[in-house]
Structure formats: C-alpha cells, structure tokens
C-alpha cells in the first residue's frame, strides 16, 4: 500500500470523511481520558510520561512518537497509507485542541463520566478510521509488521509491546489506573461492533459496490473460518486492534 493507494472510487468521499472524523474523535477521546485522571490507554501512558519529562504538550509528544514509530517501519518493510501518515498528525492536534477546551474535572462522578465517554468515543473512532481502509496507524502497523517478521502471534506481539509501553510510561510519570484496565477490556468489543457499523461497501471490478455495508466487516478483511461476520483476517491491522 502506498500513500496514494485507495484514492479513487465512488465511496471515496465517505471514506475520507470517516478517516478524518475517526482520527479527530480518537484524539478527542484520548484527551477526555487525560482529563478523567483515572488512567490512560497504553500508548497514552507513554505519551503522558514523556510529556511530563520533556515539558511538551501530550499532543506534540504523540506526533513525535508516531513519527519515530513510522521510521521503524523501514527495516520491517511496512508501507504507509494515507491513514498512516494522517494518524501521526491529526490525533495529536485533536488531543491538544480538546485539552485546551476541556478543563480539569473535579468530583468522582464527573471523572467517571469522562472516562466512560472517552472509552466509548475511542471505540467509535477506531471503527470509523479502520473501516475507511486507508492503512493502519503507525503503532498497529509496527505490531503487524513484527508479527510478520517474527512469526509470533498478533496477540503476543501486541501484548509485549503494550506492556513495555505502559511500564515505560508509568516510570516516566504517566497515569495508570482503573481506566487503563477498563480500556483494555472494552476497546476490543467496542471496535469490533463499530467496525461492522461503519463498514464501507467495497467496489467490484466494474466499479459497483458489493453487498457489504453497515453491519458487515470491511471486505478487505476476510472473516476467520470459526468467527462471526465481525471478525477480520489474521495478521491484519483490524485484528491487531480487536485482539487485546
């Protein structure tokens, strides 16, 4: 996949809208988790820890980490798509913008509400931008690339990387809490549900759409033999998201 691949077809406008709305909402959801103060998603822990040490905003750190991770694609021969490059910048900018608008929340009820909203919105965002089919984010591409290179399972590679990321972020001062655990438990089912909901029909050779639409998995990801219609193929970025 190249950056320009997939930039055609009668569903292009919808796919581009899903990509950028999804990435923006992802940044918003990450910012809400920060404001909840109850724990961040794994990479968010690292971003917050680096922000604490560097004095940079967490959004800028997210962009920098995404760029570094993207450079790691070179030795493992991964190819970025438009969604990959957009992921690096849009999420970080949306995070900083949201944090500038949403202040600290005091009181347990308000913080729990922000946590729940952040996790739910993250699931919506994940479904939107992955279903757009413009390539994986830098971090997911790193995981699937290492899976291909090492022959280890997606589950093992993802777990190893995210444990290392959380541990490093925690040591740097990142927030690990009940929100981190709830995110890990909830994001797989939420992403799977919204991947089905936001699936874009794939065009056939004659330019006509297939029967796949809302309620189906993206057609680039063939279902596993023993899984339902929401499953995605082993080793794909979609499965990297869902297998937590």
């Amino acid at each position: 996949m190249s950056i320009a691949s997939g930039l055609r077809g009668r569903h292009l406008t919808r796919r581009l809208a899903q990509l950028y709305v999804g990435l923006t909402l992802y940044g918003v959801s990450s910012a809400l988790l920060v404001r909840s103060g109850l724990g961040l998603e794994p990479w968010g822990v690292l971003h917050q820890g680096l922000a604490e040490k560097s004095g940079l905003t967490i959004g800028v750190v997210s962009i920098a980490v995404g760029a570094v991770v993207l450079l790691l694609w070179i030795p493992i021969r991964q190819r970025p798509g438009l969604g990959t490059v957009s992921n690096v910048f849009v999420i970080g900018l949306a995070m900083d913008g949201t944090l500038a608008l949403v202040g600290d929340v005091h009181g347990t009820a308000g913080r729990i509400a922000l946590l729940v909203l952040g996790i739910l919105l993250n699931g919506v965002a994940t479904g939107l931008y992955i279903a757009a089919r413009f390539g994986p984010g830098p971090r997911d591409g790193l995981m699937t690339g290492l899976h291909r290179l090492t022959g280890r399972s997606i589950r093992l590679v993802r777990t190893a990387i995210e444990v290392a990321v959380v541990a490093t972020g925690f040591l740097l001062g990142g927030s690990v809490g009940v929100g981190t655990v709830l995110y890990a438990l909830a994001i797989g089912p939420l992403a799977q549900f919204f991947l089905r909901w936001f699936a874009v029909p794939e065009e056939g050779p004659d330019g006509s759409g297939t029967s796949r639409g809302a309620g189906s998995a993206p057609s680039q990801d063939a279902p596993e033999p023993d899984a339902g219609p929401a499953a995605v193929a082993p080793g794909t970025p979609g499965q990297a998201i869902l297998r937590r």
Side-chain angles (χ1 to χ4, degrees), residues 49-226:
L50 289 171
E52 291 286 338
K53 296 298 183 182
S54 66
L56 299 172
T57 67
I58 191 170
V60 170
V61 169
S62 173
I63 292 171
V65 170
V68 170
V69 172
L70 193 54
L71 290 176
L72 296 178
W73 281 33
I74 297 174
I76 60 177
R77 298 182 179 180
Q78 290 280 91
R79 294 183 178 180
L82 175 64
T84 310
V85 177
S86 299
N87 183 295
V88 173
F89 297 99
V90 175
I91 292 177
L93 293 173
M95 281 187 70
D96 278 351
T98 304
L99 289 171
L101 295 173
V102 179
D104 292 328
V105 174
H106 303 287
T108 302
R111 294 169 66 193
I112 291 175
L114 276 186
L115 173 65
V116 172
L117 179 59
I119 293 174
L120 179 60
L121 198 58
N122 195 277
V124 174
T126 299
L128 277 167
Y129 87 79
I130 290 183
R133 304 197 310 268
F134 280 112
R139 298 154 184 83
D140 291 310
L142 175 65
M143 295 170 197
T144 54
L146 289 175
H147 154 71
R148 176 179 51 80
L149 191 67
T150 65
R152 303 293 184 180
S153 70
I154 285 285
R155 187 185 301 275
L156 178 61
V157 172
R158 187 177 194 101
T159 300
I161 291 177
E162 292 195 350
V163 166
V165 164
V166 170
T168 303
F170 178 72
L171 292 175
L172 291 172
S175 176
V176 177
V178 64
T180 310
V181 177
L182 289 178
Y183 180 92
L185 293 174
I187 192 59
L190 286 172
Q192 183 166 345
F193 174 80
F194 288 112
L195 272 167
R196 297 177 64 185
W197 187 260
F198 295 117
V200 179
E202 183 179 9
E203 296 188 16
D206 60 352
S208 61
T210 68
S211 60
R212 293 177 183 268
S216 302
S219 54
Q220 69 171 13
D221 296 324
E224 292 185 47
D226 58 345

